[in-house]
Amino acid sequence: MTQMTSTASVATDRPGRYAKQLASHLGRKVAAEWDEQAQEGWVDFGSGRVTLAAGDGVLLMGLEADDAEARDRLEGVVGRHLVKFGAKDELVCAWARTDGTPGSEHRHEGE
């Protein structure tokens, strides 16, 4: 079985805050962890896993999924939640897929 992977680098002045919020919110339904000291964590959906890392002015996310369907779904779940949390900061989450296919892009569309 081939893992399907994609990455996203989201520019933000508060990468740790958003990563922690993602892990906390999504962790209500699936396994998730955020390490405040290391400024990194993960969310495990069963069919895929997203790693989170707070960099200097950027939230780095890596997604590994069991298949293309799970990858597509998880890009959407994580991307939509992130841009909703960061609506005031106008975050944009654009996924780049390692297999060369276009990734999904998420941005807040307003109320």
Side-chain angles (χ1 to χ4, degrees):
M1 178 168 60
T2 303
Q3 286 277 315
M4 303 300 287
T5 60
S6 51
T7 60
S9 299
V10 181
T12 174
D13 292 336
R14 302 182 288 181
R17 175 189 184 272
Y18 288 121
K20 180 180 179 179
Q21 190 172 9
L22 271 174
S24 176
H25 181 77
L26 296 172
R28 295 177 186 163
K29 295 194 177 201
V30 298
E33 183 176 293
W34 176 251
D35 183 329
E36 195 69 38
Q37 285 287 75
Q39 290 287 287
E40 56 188 34
W42 51 265
V43 181
D44 193 325
F45 294 91
S47 61
R49 182 179 178 102
V50 175
T51 57
L52 308 166
D56 187 21
V58 65
L59 170 57
L60 303 169
M61 299 188 293
L63 187 155
E64 290 186 354
D66 293 341
D67 54 41
E69 183 179 329
R71 179 202 54 209
D72 296 353
R73 183 173 49 80
L74 297 179
E75 281 182 5
V77 168
V78 174
R80 283 190 305 275
H81 278 87
L82 180 60
V83 299
K84 184 177 180 181
F85 298 151
K88 289 182 181 178
D89 292 338
E90 298 181 357
L91 298 185
V92 175
C93 179
W95 293 95
R97 297 178 179 168
T98 55
D99 68 0
T101 61
S104 59
E105 183 175 300
H106 308 274
R107 59 181 68 238
H108 187 67
E109 299 297 332
E111 298 304 315

